[in-house]
Amino acid sequence: MAYTLSEIVARLGGELRGDDCLVERLAPLEDAKTGEISFLASAKFRRQLETTAASALIMSPKLAEETGYGGPLILTDDPYLYFARVATLFHPAPPARPGIHASAVVGEGCRIDASSEIGANVSIGRDVTIGQRCRILPGVVIGDGVVIGDEVTLHPNVTVYHGCLIGSRVGIHSGTVIGADGFGLAWARDHWFKIPQTGRVVIEDDVEIGANTTVDRGAMADTIIRRGAKIDNLVQIAHNVQIGEHTAIAGCVGIAGSTKIGAYCTVGGAAMFVGHIEVTDRTHIGGGTLVSKSIKKPDNYASSYPLSTMKEWLPNAVHLRHLDDLVKRVKELEREIKNLKDSKEPNND
Amino acid sequence: MAYTLSEIVARLGGELRGDDCLVERLAPLEDAKTGEISFLASAKFRRQLETTAASALIMSPKLAEETGYGGPLILTDDPYLYFARVATLFHPAPPARPGIHASAVVGEGCRIDASSEIGANVSIGRDVTIGQRCRILPGVVIGDGVVIGDEVTLHPNVTVYHGCLIGSRVGIHSGTVIGADGFGLAWARDHWFKIPQTGRVVIEDDVEIGANTTVDRGAMADTIIRRGAKIDNLVQIAHNVQIGEHTAIAGCVGIAGSTKIGAYCTVGGAAMFVGHIEVTDRTHIGGGTLVSKSIKKPDNYASSYPLSTMKEWLPNAVHLRHLDDLVKRVKELEREIKNLKDSKEPNND
Amino acid sequence: MAYTLSEIVARLGGELRGDDCLVERLAPLEDAKTGEISFLASAKFRRQLETTAASALIMSPKLAEETGYGGPLILTDDPYLYFARVATLFHPAPPARPGIHASAVVGEGCRIDASSEIGANVSIGRDVTIGQRCRILPGVVIGDGVVIGDEVTLHPNVTVYHGCLIGSRVGIHSGTVIGADGFGLAWARDHWFKIPQTGRVVIEDDVEIGANTTVDRGAMADTIIRRGAKIDNLVQIAHNVQIGEHTAIAGCVGIAGSTKIGAYCTVGGAAMFVGHIEVTDRTHIGGGTLVSKSIKKPDNYASSYPLSTMKEWLPNAVHLRHLDDLVKRVKELEREIKNLKDSKEPNND
C-alpha cells in the first residue's frame, strides 16, 4: 500500500506544500527513512529535522514557518491527530472474514449476521445476537442472551457473561472479562453470604477496552461504560460503576463499587477509586492517586508519595508517622515565642 | 417466579407485618416499582420511603417503628442479609446441565461425576477427579491430577494447573489462573536460575474467587486459601501464601510470597503485602495500604497519601522529601527557645 | 526418582562430606523427613538443625564449620542456588508430547516442528513458525505470522497477537496476553481517535512471564523484553517499553508507554512507572513505589506511605495536606527567634 501526498490530502484534508511524492510507510521522525512519512508536533524535537530521511512530514503551518523546513510537507493544525489518521489509511482495521468456523459452538436461538466472523474454538450460548461485520476471534466465550451491535471486535479469549449488552464499533482485547459477578457479600454471623448479582454490563458505542481488564455486572442495576470511553489493560471496574462518555482510563486502575466517573475525564495509571463516590466531568487524576472521596470541582488531582532513594525515604517516612506530634511541637513553640515576646514588652511600658 | 410475603417468611424466617402481597422482583429502594420488594437498612435513606413504589419492604423492627412506615413489611434484625437471601430465592444459582460437550477434550483416567456439566471447548488433562453437580464452563483448562469437590463452578476460560485441589461449593470466575509457577528465582552469577515450583494450590470449601485473579502454586509446600475466604478480581496471591478462613479481599490486591493473612480479615482494594509477614486474625486493611511488616494487633490499618489537587500536592510532596530536615529545624528551635528562656531566668536570681 | 549424594555431586559439583546416602525428595529444613534433602543458607535458621530429620543437607563450608553439623552434607558456596539446581534434577521440566491435537486449529502456511506439542483446542493463525520441542498448551491462541523459537512453553489460555516474535527457552504462563494494542489515542475535538498500533512485541531468549500479565505491541517501533528478564503475574507493560537483560519484575507492576528499564534491575511488587522515562542498569525499586521520573544513579528507591493504624494515620494525613503551611510556620519561628536573639544582643553592646 502506498499513497502520494496529494492522495492523502484529498482524503484527509490539510494542505500540500512542496513536491508531491509517494510514501509507503509511517515512521517516528528519528528513525524515518526514504519512502516514509513522519510528523513534528512540537518545537522540542526540531533538531531531528536536520537528520531525518523521511520523504515527507506533517507539521503545523506555524512550526513549518519557524523551522523553515524545505522538504515535502502536509500542513495541518493538529499534526499528531493527522498522523494517526494517516496511520489508519496505511493500517485499516482488518475486515471480518464472514462465516462460523467449524470448531465454533453456537447455542440455540442465536441471530448472527452472515457478514460476521466467528473464529476457531469460540463458544456462544443461547439466544445471542451479533450484528454486522463483527470479528469474534478464537477462544472467545459469550454467555446466553448477550446482544452485540455492528463492527465489534472481541479479541481471542475474551469472556462475556450472560445478558450483557455491547454497542457498535466496540473493541475488547484478549483476556478481558465482561459481566463476572460483582463482589457482593453480606456478613451472616460467622460467614459471608454471597449476594446474587443480577444486573448487567452495558457497553455503549465506540468504547475500547484493553487486555485482561474486568468489568463486573451490576448487583441489581447495571454497570455502564458510556459512549466513546477508552479503558486500558488490567483495569478493575466493580459492580454498578458508571464511566462517563469519552473518559480515558490508563492501565492498572481500580474503581470500587457504585462509583460514578464523569465524562471527558482522564485517569492515570494505577489510580484507585473507593466505592460510592462521584467524580465530576473533566477531572484529571494523576497516576497512583487514591481517590478517597467525591470530586466536585474539575481540576488535576494527585496523592502519591514522591520518589526517593531508600536512604532518604527511611527517616522521612518515620517522621511522617509522627507528623501530628511535630505539629504540636510547632504550636508549642509558637506559644512560647509569644510568651517571650509578651514578657519583653512590659519593658516598653 | 413470584412469591407472596408469607411464602418468603415461611422459607426465610422474619415477621410479616401488614397485608400479604405478591412480589415478582427485587429492586433498590429508590427505583422500586409495584410488584417489587426492597429494603431499608439505615435511617440515612428513610426519605426514600416517601417516594418508593415498592410493594413491600424489609426493615428492622426498630426502623419500622422510627419511620412509622405503613406498607407491607417483613421485619428482621438484619435487612441487608435478609434481602440477599430473598435475592437468592429469586435468582437461584443455575443448575449444572449434566454431560460432557462433544467439543470438550478429556484425558485418560478421569473420574467425572455424571451429574456434572463439562462445557464446550473445555480441556481436561489426565487423572482428574470432578465431583457432583459441578459446572465446568466453556474454555476452561484443567491440568493433570486436579481434584475438584462438589457443586463447584469454574467460569469460562479459567485455568487450573496440574495437581491443584479445589474443595466443594467453590466458584472461580473467568480468566482466573490457579497454580501457575510462583516467582522463584535464584541468582546465578550473571542470570536468574528458575526454581522448580513443586507445591500445589489448595482451595478449601466455600471459597469464591473473582475474575482474572492469579493464585500461584507453592514452591515446595502449598499455597492455601482457607474455608469461606472471598477474593475479588485481579488479585495476585504469590507462592506459599495462606489466606485465613472467611477473610475477604477486594480487587487489585497483591500478596507477596509466604505471607500469611489470618481469619476474618478484610482487605481493601489495591492494598499490597510484602512477603514473609503474618497478619493476625480480624485485621482490617484500608484500600491502597502497603502492608510492609507483620501485624500482631487486630485493628484498622492505612497508609495512603491523602487526595489533593495537583497544586496542593506539589509543595507538600517537595517538603515531604525534606521532613527529616524540618524535624531537625524544629529541634533546633526548641533548643534555642530553651536557651532564651534560660538566659532570662538569671534575672530572677 | 531418587539420587545418592555422590550422584548429585557428580552432576552438579560441590563436595560430599560424611556418609553417602539416597535422597528421594526435597523439603524445607523445618519439615524435612528421612529420605529428603534440604539446605541451610543462613545462620539465622541454625536452630532448625537440632530438630530436622533430613537425610542430607546442603550448606556452605563456613556454616558447616560454624554449626558443627555432623550429618551427610553437600558443601557449596551458594546453598540456595545449589538447592534450586537439585530441585531441577528431581523435577525436570515436562517434555513436549510431539504432535498436533485433533481439536487444534492450525492456519495455512504454518511451519511447526514435528517435535513440538500443540494441545487441545489451540488456535494458530496463518504463517506461524514454531521451533523444536515447544509446548503450546490447551486453549492458547496464536495470531498470524508469529515466530516462536525452540523449547518455548505457552501455558493454557495464553494469547499471542499477530506478528510477535518469541525467542527460545521462553515460558509464558496462563492468561497472559502478548501484543494487544497499546493505549494510543489522539484527541479529536470531541472524541478519542484510536491510533493504529503497528509495532510488535519482541521477547528475547530465556525470558519468563507470569500469569495474566499484559505486554502491549509497540505503536510504530517494538516493545522489547530482553534476554533473561523475568516478569511475574498481573504486570502491565505498555507500548514501546523496553525491559533490560536479566531484570526481574515482581507482581502487579505497571510500566507506562515508552519507558526503558535497564539491565540487572529488580522491581518490587506493585511499583508503577510513568511513561517516557529511563531507569539505569542495576537500579532497585521497592514495592509500591511510584517511579515518576528518570533514574540515572543505580541505588535503592522507595516512595510509599508507611503503614499506620487508621487512628494514627488520620491526623498525620490531615497535616500532610498542610505541610507547606507547617514549613512556613517553622520559617516564621526561625525569623522570630532570630529577632528575639538580636534584640537581646544590643544589651551586650
Side-chain angles (χ1 to χ4, degrees):
Chain A
M1 215 174 306
Y3 294 91
T4 61
L5 300 186
S6 51
E7 283 171 334
I8 293 173
V9 165
R11 286 170 183 247
L12 304 180
E15 182 193 331
L16 172 59
R17 177 169 304 178
D19 294 339
D20 197 4
C21 67
L22 196 73
V23 288
E24 293 174 332
R25 273 185 311 278
L26 300 95
L29 190 51
E30 79 240 56
D31 300 334
K33 291 182 285 287
T34 306
E36 295 180 335
I37 182 168
S38 191
F39 73 106
L40 181 71
S42 155
K44 202 164 63 172
F45 302 110
R46 61 188 295 174
R47 281 248 204 105
Q48 297 178 355
L49 291 181
E50 297 163 21
T51 55
T52 190
S55 288
L57 289 183
I58 303 161
M59 227 185 276
S60 68
K62 189 162 166 290
L63 264 181
E65 188 165 335
E66 280 175 34
T67 63
Y69 183 74
L73 275 175
I74 294 176
L75 299 177
T76 171
D77 286 338
D78 190 340
Y80 183 58
L81 174 60
Y82 195 98
F83 185 73
R85 295 172 69 207
V86 175
T88 306
L89 210 61
F90 280 89
H91 303 276
R97 300 187 278 202
I100 297 176
H101 194 277
S103 63
V105 174
V106 178
E108 293 168 18
C110 292
R111 287 177 300 172
I112 299 174
D113 192 273
S115 61
S116 283
E117 167 181 359
I118 310 297
N121 296 318
V122 165
S123 305
I124 297 179
R126 302 173 181 190
D127 302 313
V128 169
T129 301
I130 296 178
Q132 301 181 339
R133 295 176 299 284
C134 290
R135 300 169 66 224
I136 310 299
L137 297 174
V140 167
V141 180
I142 299 177
D144 297 345
V146 167
V147 176
I148 296 177
D150 299 331
E151 294 173 20
V152 167
T153 299
L154 302 185
H155 288 273
N157 288 328
V158 160
T159 303
V160 183
Y161 279 57
H162 63 94
C164 292
L165 224 68
I166 296 178
S168 290
R169 297 172 306 281
V170 169
I172 301 181
H173 280 278
S174 289
T176 284
V177 177
I178 305 296
D181 283 348
F183 199 56
L185 302 167
W187 184 247
R189 189 160 307 150
D190 58 359
H191 69 281
W192 293 105
F193 185 90
K194 179 180 167 67
I195 301 170
Q197 303 290 300
T198 62
R200 303 170 302 175
V201 174
V202 176
I203 297 176
E204 296 185 356
D205 295 345
D206 300 301
V207 166
E208 177 134 0
I209 300 180
N212 282 350
T213 279
T214 54
V215 184
D216 282 349
R217 65 194 312 113
M220 280 191 285
D222 296 327
T223 303
I224 304 173
I225 315 286
R226 295 203 194 284
R227 195 158 52 90
K230 307 292 177 185
I231 296 169
D232 199 359
N233 299 348
L234 289 170
V235 173
Q236 149 70 349
I237 297 183
H239 51 185
N240 300 96
V241 163
Q242 297 185 21
I243 307 291
E245 295 182 7
H246 307 295
T247 279
I249 297 178
C252 304
V253 165
I255 306 174
S258 300
T259 281
K260 291 178 190 168
I261 297 182
Y264 303 102
C265 296
T266 60
V267 178
M272 293 288 153
F273 295 74
V274 302
H276 298 274
I277 62 171
E278 295 193 27
V279 172
T280 195
D281 295 351
R282 297 174 199 281
T283 295
H284 305 285
I285 305 292
T289 296
L290 181 75
V291 182
S292 52
K293 55 186 177 189
S294 287
I295 292 179
K296 288 171 184 164
K297 196 169 146 281
D299 202 337
N300 298 299
Y301 291 84
S303 81
S304 57
Y305 195 106
L307 182 68
S308 316
T309 62
M310 193 71 80
K311 204 174 146 189
E312 283 173 352
W313 176 81
L314 269 169
N316 290 325
V318 168
H319 294 315
L320 184 48
R321 294 192 51 208
H322 301 285
L323 199 51
D324 193 39
D325 290 341
L326 186 67
V327 171
K328 282 183 187 134
R329 285 162 65 187
V330 169
K331 209 171 274 176
E332 174 63 18
L333 283 168
E334 287 168 340
R335 204 184 54 78
E336 299 216 42
I337 290 273
K338 185 163 185 304
N339 284 350
L340 281 171
K341 282 163 67 182
D342 287 353
S343 71
K344 282 190 60 179
E345 293 193 353
N347 300 341
N348 301 335
D349 286 341
Chain B
M1 216 174 306
Y3 295 91
T4 61
L5 300 186
S6 51
E7 283 171 333
I8 293 172
V9 165
R11 286 169 183 248
L12 304 180
E15 182 193 332
L16 172 60
R17 178 168 301 176
D19 294 339
D20 197 5
C21 67
L22 197 73
V23 288
E24 292 174 334
R25 272 185 312 279
L26 300 96
L29 190 52
E30 78 242 54
D31 300 333
K33 291 182 284 289
T34 306
E36 295 180 336
I37 183 167
S38 191
F39 73 106
L40 181 70
S42 156
K44 201 164 64 171
F45 302 110
R46 61 189 295 174
R47 283 248 203 105
Q48 296 177 358
L49 291 181
E50 297 163 20
T51 54
T52 188
S55 289
L57 290 182
I58 303 162
M59 226 184 275
S60 69
K62 189 162 166 291
L63 263 181
E65 189 165 334
E66 279 175 34
T67 61
Y69 182 74
L73 276 175
I74 294 175
L75 298 177
T76 173
D77 286 339
D78 190 340
Y80 182 57
L81 174 59
Y82 196 98
F83 186 73
R85 295 171 69 208
V86 175
T88 306
L89 210 61
F90 280 90
H91 303 278
R97 300 187 278 202
I100 298 176
H101 194 278
S103 63
V105 174
V106 179
E108 293 168 17
C110 292
R111 287 177 301 173
I112 299 175
D113 192 272
S115 62
S116 283
E117 169 181 356
I118 309 297
N121 297 318
V122 165
S123 306
I124 297 179
R126 302 170 182 192
D127 301 313
V128 169
T129 301
I130 296 178
Q132 301 181 339
R133 295 177 299 283
C134 290
R135 300 168 66 223
I136 310 299
L137 297 175
V140 167
V141 180
I142 299 176
D144 296 347
V146 167
V147 176
I148 296 177
D150 299 329
E151 293 174 21
V152 167
T153 299
L154 301 186
H155 288 272
N157 288 328
V158 160
T159 303
V160 182
Y161 279 58
H162 63 94
C164 293
L165 225 68
I166 296 178
S168 289
R169 297 174 305 281
V170 168
I172 302 181
H173 281 279
S174 290
T176 284
V177 177
I178 304 297
D181 283 348
F183 199 57
L185 303 167
W187 184 248
R189 190 160 307 152
D190 58 359
H191 68 281
W192 293 105
F193 185 90
K194 178 181 167 67
I195 302 171
Q197 304 290 300
T198 63
R200 304 171 300 175
V201 174
V202 176
I203 297 176
E204 296 184 356
D205 295 344
D206 300 301
V207 165
E208 178 136 359
I209 300 181
N212 282 351
T213 279
T214 54
V215 184
D216 281 350
R217 65 193 314 110
M220 280 192 285
D222 296 326
T223 303
I224 304 173
I225 315 286
R226 295 202 193 284
R227 194 158 52 90
K230 307 293 177 185
I231 296 169
D232 199 358
N233 299 349
L234 290 171
V235 172
Q236 149 70 348
I237 298 182
H239 52 183
N240 299 96
V241 163
Q242 297 185 21
I243 307 291
E245 295 183 7
H246 306 295
T247 279
I249 297 178
C252 305
V253 165
I255 306 174
S258 300
T259 281
K260 292 179 190 170
I261 298 182
Y264 302 102
C265 295
T266 59
V267 178
M272 294 287 153
F273 296 73
V274 302
H276 298 276
I277 62 171
E278 294 194 28
V279 172
T280 195
D281 296 351
R282 297 175 199 280
T283 295
H284 305 286
I285 304 292
T289 297
L290 181 75
V291 183
S292 52
K293 55 187 177 189
S294 286
I295 291 179
K296 288 170 184 166
K297 196 168 146 282
D299 202 337
N300 298 299
Y301 291 84
S303 80
S304 57
Y305 196 107
L307 182 68
S308 316
T309 61
M310 195 71 81
K311 205 175 147 188
E312 284 172 351
W313 176 80
L314 269 170
N316 290 325
V318 167
H319 294 313
L320 184 49
R321 295 192 52 207
H322 301 286
L323 198 50
D324 193 40
D325 289 340
L326 186 67
V327 171
K328 283 184 186 133
R329 284 162 66 187
V330 169
K331 209 171 274 175
E332 173 65 17
L333 283 168
E334 286 167 341
R335 205 184 54 78
E336 298 217 42
I337 289 273
K338 187 164 182 301
N339 285 349
L340 281 171
K341 282 163 68 183
D342 288 353
S343 72
K344 283 189 61 178
E345 292 193 355
N347 300 340
N348 302 334
D349 285 341
Chain C
M1 215 173 306
Y3 295 90
T4 61
L5 301 186
S6 51
E7 284 171 332
I8 294 174
V9 165
R11 286 170 183 247
L12 304 181
E15 182 194 332
L16 172 59
R17 178 169 302 178
D19 295 339
D20 196 4
C21 66
L22 196 75
V23 288
E24 293 174 333
R25 273 185 311 279
L26 300 95
L29 190 52
E30 78 240 56
D31 300 333
K33 289 182 285 289
T34 305
E36 295 180 336
I37 182 167
S38 191
F39 73 106
L40 181 71
S42 156
K44 202 164 62 171
F45 302 111
R46 61 189 294 173
R47 284 250 204 102
Q48 297 178 356
L49 291 181
E50 298 163 19
T51 55
T52 188
S55 289
L57 290 183
I58 303 161
M59 226 184 277
S60 68
K62 188 162 167 289
L63 264 181
E65 188 165 335
E66 280 175 33
T67 62
Y69 183 74
L73 277 175
I74 294 176
L75 299 178
T76 173
D77 286 338
D78 190 339
Y80 183 58
L81 174 60
Y82 196 98
F83 186 73
R85 295 171 69 207
V86 175
T88 306
L89 210 60
F90 280 90
H91 304 275
R97 299 188 279 202
I100 297 177
H101 194 277
S103 63
V105 174
V106 178
E108 293 168 19
C110 291
R111 286 176 302 172
I112 300 175
D113 191 273
S115 61
S116 283
E117 168 181 357
I118 310 296
N121 297 317
V122 165
S123 306
I124 298 179
R126 302 172 182 189
D127 302 313
V128 169
T129 301
I130 296 178
Q132 301 182 337
R133 294 177 301 282
C134 289
R135 300 168 66 224
I136 310 299
L137 297 174
V140 166
V141 180
I142 299 177
D144 296 346
V146 167
V147 176
I148 295 177
D150 299 330
E151 293 173 19
V152 168
T153 299
L154 301 186
H155 288 273
N157 288 327
V158 160
T159 304
V160 182
Y161 279 57
H162 63 94
C164 292
L165 224 68
I166 296 178
S168 289
R169 297 173 306 281
V170 169
I172 301 181
H173 280 278
S174 290
T176 284
V177 177
I178 305 296
D181 283 347
F183 199 56
L185 303 167
W187 184 248
R189 189 160 306 150
D190 58 359
H191 69 282
W192 294 104
F193 185 90
K194 179 181 167 66
I195 301 171
Q197 303 291 298
T198 62
R200 304 169 300 174
V201 175
V202 175
I203 297 175
E204 296 185 355
D205 295 345
D206 300 302
V207 166
E208 178 135 358
I209 300 181
N212 282 350
T213 279
T214 53
V215 184
D216 281 350
R217 67 193 312 111
M220 279 191 285
D222 297 327
T223 303
I224 304 173
I225 316 286
R226 295 203 194 284
R227 195 159 52 91
K230 307 292 178 185
I231 296 169
D232 198 359
N233 299 347
L234 289 170
V235 172
Q236 150 71 349
I237 298 182
H239 51 185
N240 300 96
V241 164
Q242 296 185 22
I243 307 291
E245 294 184 6
H246 306 296
T247 280
I249 297 178
C252 305
V253 165
I255 306 173
S258 301
T259 281
K260 292 179 189 167
I261 298 182
Y264 302 102
C265 295
T266 61
V267 178
M272 293 288 153
F273 295 74
V274 303
H276 298 275
I277 62 171
E278 295 194 26
V279 172
T280 195
D281 295 352
R282 297 176 199 279
T283 295
H284 305 286
I285 305 292
T289 296
L290 181 74
V291 182
S292 52
K293 55 186 177 191
S294 287
I295 291 179
K296 287 169 186 167
K297 195 169 146 284
D299 201 337
N300 298 298
Y301 291 84
S303 81
S304 57
Y305 196 107
L307 182 67
S308 317
T309 62
M310 195 70 81
K311 205 175 146 187
E312 284 172 350
W313 176 81
L314 268 171
N316 290 326
V318 167
H319 294 315
L320 184 49
R321 296 191 51 209
H322 301 286
L323 198 51
D324 193 40
D325 289 340
L326 186 68
V327 171
K328 283 184 186 132
R329 284 162 66 188
V330 169
K331 209 170 273 175
E332 173 65 18
L333 283 169
E334 286 167 340
R335 205 184 53 78
E336 299 218 41
I337 289 273
K338 185 163 184 301
N339 284 349
L340 280 171
K341 281 163 67 182
D342 288 352
S343 71
K344 280 189 63 179
E345 292 192 355
N347 299 341
N348 301 334
D349 285 344

